[in-house]
Amino acid sequence: MKRSNAKIISTTFIILLSIFCFFKSTPVKADSLTAKYSMDIELNGAKKTLAGKENVSVHNSSGADLKELVFHLYPDLYNKRETMPFSYTNTKNVPLTEEEKGDISIEKVLINGEDTKFTEDNEILKINLEKNLKKNDNVNVSIQFSLKIPKGTSRLSYFNDVYSLADWYPVLSIYDLKENRWDETKFYPIGESNYSDVSEYDINIKVPKDFVVVSTGKEKEISSTDNKKVINLTAKNARDFIIMISPYFKCISKEIDGIKVNSYYLSTDDKSLVDIAQSVLDASVNAMKFFSQQFGKYPYDEFDIVESYYEGGAMEYPELIQMPKYVTSIEIQTPSTKRYIDAKPSIIQGAIHELCHQWWYVTVGNNEYKEPFLDESFATFFTAYYFEKCEGQYSPNAVLRSLRYSFSKLAEINPKILNLPCAGSSVDKFGNDKTSYVQAIYVRAPLILEDLRKMVGQDSFLKIMQTYFKEYKFKNSSIEGFLNIIEKQAGSKIRDYIGDEIYSGEYKAENLKPTDEEINQIKHETLKEKIKASEQANGSVLGSLLLRVENGEKAIIVKPSSLTKEEEAFVNSKLKSYFGNSYNKLSIQSDNSVTENELKNSNIVLIGNPWNNKIFSLMANNIPLSINKTRVFAQSFSENSDSVSGIFSAKNPKNDQNIMLAIFWTKDVSTDFYFDTYANPESIMIESQFILSIDNKRIETGKF
């Protein structure tokens, strides 16, 4: 791919820019914000570095006099592989190359325009204050830094000229008055560890002229030269600040209730990938409207969805979500086979999960390291809640299937999930066990919210969430704060019950297990979804006609007019086995009465063989299986026998937009004929186009 020819910043320019940044610092009037950030930064595309001058106006709202200021330096965690955020490509035994290493270096710090001492160690910048910063007083901190951007596909990285700048700058820590200390928690490899107050940002970034800049807040070009441009980035009430940069971004947009939603995608000639970007945009707009109605209005003017090379799934930031590279299909590997499914549904589901974080983490904040339940478990539950309300309870992403059923099945397979660290655990309680973290926080803990909903009812549940959102908007909450809201709205008994579930390491969600009826319907819906996915890859399969009927399409059973009672009973039993509750939706005709128009405009279930069913005979030359009294054969196989029975699926010869399912026999209707809809759905209903019984002894399945 084409790489930029960004100029290297000259020494003179750095010195002049440094002087400008440091001398423009002036005391500010106290207000409710803990910090206001202004920055001047420049991307060096050749060296993959960022030169920065950060000015922070700090208001001491901690409630204590402060002897020092503490900033997080999250880029330092990219110095070695074992401290990097978890990704699917991490190999801890393989050391990072120099290109893959990231680092931030603090070059100079001024307090109110005066040089000051500082230490930079272990992801923490500590700045000594010659005079204590009194309660409600203000101070200006100017930090000159340089950032080495690591090559890779993590949150802070560059790859193929797509730059992801997440957790990239010195960010003011939070002072804990109860513990009388600054938060110095290192970023943990599992989950997220962000914890900060909302702030105001005003950033000027210089980039190559052909680069597109997408960020938290709003972007506006303010100057340009022949090969460079400066973009001003501004945001209010932002918990942190993300910048995405690339010359390959293209954008499509929609507006919803005065909010501009942008879907940025990497330029491509593949229309199916552009279609994914459009589908993600459409789904996000719908979800934004839904969540705004359920909890409280999305509180910003813009929202960006950005495709990138990120390999951690997808990631949330204020006013922006980072998506992975879009693909059209996902490989599913099973012990017996490999198949591909449509990637779009899972991409959309991921986007909606990250959008949900705009309410639970971005607007209502929390300490992600100590209490991931409040953001990850909330976003997981309400994503499933969204699909339940918009697609029905049997949607694969809805609460019943994605949470209740998934947890009950997982508990059967691996009972240890019942004894994982509790929902109220901090991320370090999981060590380096990513699987346990996912099972505890994304699978088990969201069920606590479903339990709360069932206990108090839908209306009261939403009232709790709306009150919680309003109470902690642009603030940091805690589990204790959430429980307090529950108590105010539903009483102390409900609060205590939910509190016990959050802090119990043996939470089993027994009362949320799906009923037998729900389980049977889930299995049926799953079968239909797999049939549909297989059709996209293989064409019609044995389950295709069932799917058509259940989707409301017309189907006609065409029987020979000369069936014996034995044959009639066999045919009816097989059809009822295949169609289940949908059997009564079918029309039944004999080969003598069905019309040409009915055959053309319907899906067909053809019964018998070419010599006892005249419709079978008329279609014999246009179906993939040739049948006579001593031989059954297709292009890829041949069976010589006078006793073959079977079932196969093909396009309707009268109209290839419809499906034909044929149940046939060459000698007698055999009671030994094997066809059970649910006995082995993976190989029969989903993967196969035919099943044959030869001499009642041998079964063959496959594709034509």
Side-chain angles (χ1 to χ4, degrees), residues 433-495:
D433 188 352
K434 175 75 172 180
T435 300
S436 292
Y437 170 74
V438 169
Q439 290 175 346
I441 299 300
Y442 290 83
V443 180
R444 184 176 67 172
L447 288 170
I448 295 172
L449 293 172
E450 173 66 352
D451 207 0
L452 175 62
R453 177 168 67 144
K454 285 189 173 295
M455 291 179 68
V456 302
Q458 175 73 18
D459 292 344
S460 295
F461 177 69
L462 281 183
K463 182 65 175 177
I464 289 170
M465 300 313 304
Q466 291 162 0
T467 304
Y468 178 62
F469 177 78
K470 183 178 180 181
E471 179 72 21
Y472 287 99
K473 184 177 180 179
F474 300 140
K475 302 174 186 176
N476 277 301
S477 180
S478 63
I479 291 176
E480 184 69 17
F482 179 58
L483 292 174
N484 287 341
I485 298 295
I486 292 175
E487 183 172 6
K488 289 179 183 178
Q489 298 297 318
S492 59
K493 288 185 178 179
I494 301 294
R495 175 214 162 95

Side-chain angles (χ1 to χ4, degrees), residues 74 100 158 284 340 344 382 453 688:
Y74 292 130
E100 293 172 324
Y158 73 89
S284 296
Y340 294 86
K344 189 188 294 183
F382 285 110
R453 177 168 67 144
S688 299

Side-chain angles (χ1 to χ4, degrees), residues 70-236:
V70 173
F71 287 73
H72 291 285
L73 300 177
Y74 292 130
D76 280 345
L77 62 96
Y78 291 88
N79 282 318
K80 47 190 177 181
R81 198 178 295 278
E82 55 265 32
T83 60
M84 288 175 61
F86 174 90
S87 76
Y88 297 105
T89 57
N90 272 0
T91 305
K92 289 189 176 181
N93 295 328
V94 179
L96 293 171
T97 65
E98 287 304 311
E99 273 189 321
E100 293 172 324
K101 290 181 180 178
D103 183 70
I104 186 169
S105 297
I106 306 302
E107 297 166 356
K108 193 172 187 179
V109 177
L110 303 181
I111 294 292
N112 291 332
E114 301 292 332
D115 275 317
T116 192
K117 294 180 180 179
F118 64 90
T119 60
E120 177 186 3
D121 184 48
N122 214 21
E123 300 178 26
I124 291 294
L125 168 66
K126 290 186 178 180
I127 302 171
N128 296 321
L129 298 175
E130 290 188 6
K131 297 180 180 179
N132 285 358
L133 181 61
K134 301 292 186 180
K135 290 180 285 186
N136 296 318
D137 277 357
N138 303 280
V139 67
N140 280 358
V141 183
S142 296
I143 304 170
Q144 180 177 322
F145 68 93
S146 62
L147 174 71
K148 180 182 179 298
I149 307 168
K151 181 179 181 179
T153 53
S154 193
R155 299 165 193 166
L156 175 63
S157 63
Y158 73 89
F159 191 81
N160 286 347
D161 266 355
V162 177
Y163 294 83
S164 171
L165 302 182
D167 301 320
W168 55 276
Y169 58 95
V171 58
L172 185 66
S173 178
I174 288 182
Y175 188 85
D176 190 320
L177 187 60
K178 290 183 180 179
E179 297 184 7
N180 195 31
R181 66 181 184 86
W182 289 93
D183 171 47
E184 297 183 20
T185 305
K186 293 195 296 181
F187 207 104
Y188 205 72
I190 288 177
E192 285 86 51
S193 300
N194 299 87
Y195 181 39
S196 57
D197 287 314
V198 295
S199 302
E200 192 172 297
Y201 289 85
D202 188 347
I203 300 173
N204 291 329
I205 181 170
K206 182 177 283 190
V207 296
K209 195 168 185 178
D210 61 339
F211 277 40
V212 177
V213 177
V214 190
S215 73
T216 295
K218 298 179 180 180
E219 309 88 18
K220 181 181 179 181
E221 183 175 326
I222 56 175
S223 66
S224 64
T225 60
D226 290 342
N227 57 1
K228 296 276 188 178
K229 64 182 177 183
V230 176
I231 307 294
N232 178 243
L233 313 174
T234 57
K236 293 182 179 180

Side-chain angles (χ1 to χ4, degrees), residues 318-359:
E319 302 178 67
L320 184 151
I321 58 175
Q322 182 180 11
M323 299 297 291
K325 187 75 176 67
Y326 293 154
V327 294
T328 56
S329 62
I330 300 172
E331 180 183 308
I332 303 295
Q333 184 75 52
T334 66
S336 60
T337 187
K338 179 170 66 176
R339 61 189 177 93
Y340 294 86
I341 63 172
D342 185 7
K344 189 188 294 183
S346 63
I347 293 173
I348 289 173
Q349 192 270 348
I352 291 174
H353 174 96
E354 306 309 335
L355 170 62
C356 192
H357 274 299
Q358 298 301 307
W359 282 262

Side-chain angles (χ1 to χ4, degrees), residues 414-690:
N414 179 22
K416 290 183 179 179
I417 191 175
L418 301 174
N419 298 307
L420 292 172
C422 68
S425 297
S426 55
V427 294
D428 62 322
K429 297 299 182 184
F430 298 91
N432 289 318
D433 188 352
K434 175 75 172 180
T435 300
S436 292
Y437 170 74
V438 169
Q439 290 175 346
I441 299 300
Y442 290 83
V443 180
R444 184 176 67 172
L447 288 170
I448 295 172
L449 293 172
E450 173 66 352
D451 207 0
L452 175 62
R453 177 168 67 144
K454 285 189 173 295
M455 291 179 68
V456 302
Q458 175 73 18
D459 292 344
S460 295
F461 177 69
L462 281 183
K463 182 65 175 177
I464 289 170
M465 300 313 304
Q466 291 162 0
T467 304
Y468 178 62
F469 177 78
K470 183 178 180 181
E471 179 72 21
Y472 287 99
K473 184 177 180 179
F474 300 140
K475 302 174 186 176
N476 277 301
S477 180
S478 63
I479 291 176
E480 184 69 17
F482 179 58
L483 292 174
N484 287 341
I485 298 295
I486 292 175
E487 183 172 6
K488 289 179 183 178
Q489 298 297 318
S492 59
K493 288 185 178 179
I494 301 294
R495 175 214 162 95
D496 293 344
Y497 179 86
I498 296 300
D500 288 344
E501 289 186 332
I502 291 173
Y503 291 109
S504 172
E506 297 183 357
Y507 176 55
K508 298 181 180 180
E510 292 283 351
N511 59 319
L512 299 178
K513 283 185 177 180
T515 64
D516 290 343
E517 182 180 352
E518 288 173 331
I519 290 172
N520 288 335
Q521 187 63 32
I522 287 169
K523 289 179 178 178
H524 190 61
E525 294 297 323
T526 302
L527 176 61
K528 287 167 57 179
E529 289 153 12
K530 289 181 177 180
I531 290 168
K532 183 177 180 180
S534 183
E535 276 188 327
Q536 293 173 344
N538 304 308
S540 68
V541 292
L542 287 178
S544 294
L545 200 140
L546 171 65
L547 187 62
R548 299 287 185 98
V549 171
E550 297 210 352
N551 285 339
E553 293 188 28
K554 185 178 180 181
I556 297 175
I557 299 172
V558 183
K559 296 181 180 180
S561 55
S562 59
L563 282 181
T564 66
K565 288 183 179 180
E566 181 187 20
E567 290 168 340
E568 188 84 35
F570 165 76
V571 168
N572 287 338
S573 68
K574 294 305 170 186
L575 292 174
K576 288 178 181 178
S577 172
Y578 178 88
F579 288 103
N581 294 332
S582 296
Y583 176 70
N584 294 327
K585 299 178 182 178
L586 281 75
S587 171
I588 300 175
Q589 300 273 15
S590 74
D591 60 337
N592 289 326
S593 63
V594 67
T595 67
E596 181 75 12
N597 189 56
E598 287 174 321
L599 292 174
K600 184 177 180 180
N601 295 316
S602 305
N603 298 290
I604 304 169
V605 183
L606 199 55
I607 307 297
N609 51 54
W611 51 93
N612 73 358
N613 186 324
K614 73 174 187 178
I615 302 302
F616 217 134
S617 179
L618 290 171
M619 294 183 173
N621 294 329
N622 297 305
I623 58 178
L625 189 67
S626 296
I627 303 168
N628 61 48
K629 293 184 178 182
T630 60
R631 183 178 175 224
V632 174
F633 62 96
Q635 190 172 8
S636 59
F637 66 86
S638 177
E639 296 292 347
N640 296 311
S641 172
D642 64 353
S643 180
V644 181
S645 60
I647 183 169
F648 67 90
S649 178
K651 291 181 179 179
N652 181 346
K654 298 289 185 180
N655 181 351
D656 63 9
Q657 298 301 308
N658 293 327
I659 299 292
M660 181 188 76
L661 185 76
I663 296 178
F664 75 94
W665 56 90
T666 61
K667 186 176 184 181
D668 298 308
V669 176
S670 171
T671 54
D672 295 328
F673 177 76
Y674 172 79
F675 182 71
D676 185 346
T677 306
Y678 294 100
N680 193 352
E682 286 289 337
S683 62
I684 297 177
M685 295 291 284
I686 301 168
E687 301 293 344
S688 299
Q689 293 176 315
F690 67 82

